[in-house]
Amino acid sequence: DAKTTQPPSMDCAEGRAANLPCNHSTISGNEYVYWYRQIHSQGPQYIIHGLKNNETNEMASLIITEDRKSSTLILPHATLRDTAVYYCIVRVFNQAGTALIFGKGTTLSVSS
Amino acid sequence: KAGVTQTPRYLIKTRGQQVTLSCSPISGHRSVSWYQQTPGQGLQFLFEYFSETQRNKGNFPGRFSGRQFSNSRSEMNVSTLELGDSALYLCASRVGTRDSFPYEQYFGPGTRLTVT
């Protein structure tokens, strides 16, 4: 099962910031938080990842709480092309290898 | 640099048949993972290959198998197809020199399999 909880859907006006929350209260100390998004009928796209410090790249910012039990993905100026399903993932590690465990994600709808 | 490519993009098969899907990872990437996506179950991990060896396997029946070649290209095979195998099959690649952080994967566009 996924180790994260996300709201099923969110709306955002074009040009405004989209703040997508994620709860991962059982995260282990050496697990990273990853965000991917999937635009309709395409493969998931990597957005950003972080351990405990806030991270920013050309696509988004990731804010992780000090206790690491939750995080927020921020799209600073959402556009219509940001309409997608956003997945918050905690990397699962085991001795045999690794896998990304996807939950149901948050469907972000950006409207003009 | 070219992205992950998957062939074919669309496929229609009949129940009971078998199917082989192909994935070419990004140049230099040695790890390939396969995922199945259905409306009901979402994205589910099938297996991962690195250096021609399966390193991890999800909770799927033995009808689902895969392999990786020396050039890192991978194939997955589904035998005795069932209606429930209709799905989008996604391949993802990463550099994957070892199980180390971070774990950034790049996904292909997927193969849409329809079983009738």
Side-chain angles (χ1 to χ4, degrees):
Chain A
D1 290 342
K3 297 175 66 175
T4 62
T5 304
Q6 299 177 253
S9 63
M10 295 184 66
D11 295 319
C12 181
E14 189 177 23
R16 304 298 294 270
N19 298 285
L20 292 90
C22 179
N23 181 285
H24 33 79
S25 57
T26 61
I27 191 170
S28 300
N30 61 350
E31 289 179 318
Y32 281 65
V33 179
Y34 284 79
W35 284 84
Y36 283 77
R37 74 179 182 183
Q38 187 174 24
I39 297 171
H40 183 62
S41 296
Q42 297 181 22
Q45 175 190 24
Y46 164 82
I47 300 174
I48 198 168
H49 71 273
L51 181 62
K52 54 184 177 180
N53 297 319
N54 298 339
E55 303 287 345
T56 296
N57 63 20
E58 65 279 3
M59 289 183 66
S61 294
L62 174 60
I63 308 298
I64 302 175
T65 58
E66 190 170 343
D67 63 8
R68 301 211 324 123
K69 293 184 177 182
S70 65
S71 61
T72 301
L73 178 74
I74 301 173
L75 308 179
H77 306 286
T79 70
L80 298 178
R81 288 178 294 181
D82 292 322
T83 293
V85 179
Y86 288 77
Y87 297 98
C88 169
I89 299 165
V90 168
R91 182 178 181 265
V92 175
F93 177 82
N94 60 48
Q95 290 183 341
T98 55
L100 290 175
I101 307 299
F102 289 85
K104 296 189 183 301
T106 296
T107 298
L108 176 67
S109 298
V110 181
S111 57
S112 58
Chain B
K1 186 181 283 190
V4 177
T5 58
Q6 293 186 244
T7 56
R9 293 292 312 278
Y10 302 91
L11 202 53
I12 300 175
K13 289 287 189 178
T14 303
R15 189 171 49 184
Q17 289 185 314
Q18 74 167 12
V19 66
T20 299
L21 311 180
S22 180
C23 172
S24 293
I26 292 172
S27 177
H29 286 195
R30 297 170 62 189
S31 169
V32 173
S33 297
W34 288 89
Y35 292 80
Q36 181 197 64
Q37 186 171 30
T38 60
Q41 299 299 319
L43 269 159
Q44 293 185 289
F45 172 75
L46 279 158
F47 28 66
E48 179 185 16
Y49 286 86
F50 176 73
S51 293
E52 304 177 62
T53 301
Q54 187 179 92
R55 306 188 75 195
N56 196 10
K57 188 177 189 301
N59 188 26
F60 278 82
R63 300 185 296 107
F64 292 82
S65 63
R67 59 177 176 170
Q68 186 181 34
F69 303 94
S70 58
N71 62 358
S72 295
R73 190 178 68 86
S74 178
E75 290 180 347
M76 69 162 285
N77 183 277
V78 187
S79 62
T80 318
L81 284 166
E82 300 177 359
L83 297 179
D85 297 332
S86 294
L88 179 67
Y89 289 89
L90 292 156
C91 166
S93 76
R94 65 182 179 108
V95 174
T97 53
R98 57 186 301 164
D99 284 335
S100 58
F101 299 103
Y103 191 80
E104 186 175 323
Q105 291 199 78
Y106 296 88
F107 283 81
T111 294
R112 174 75 62 184
L113 172 65
T114 301
V115 181
T116 62

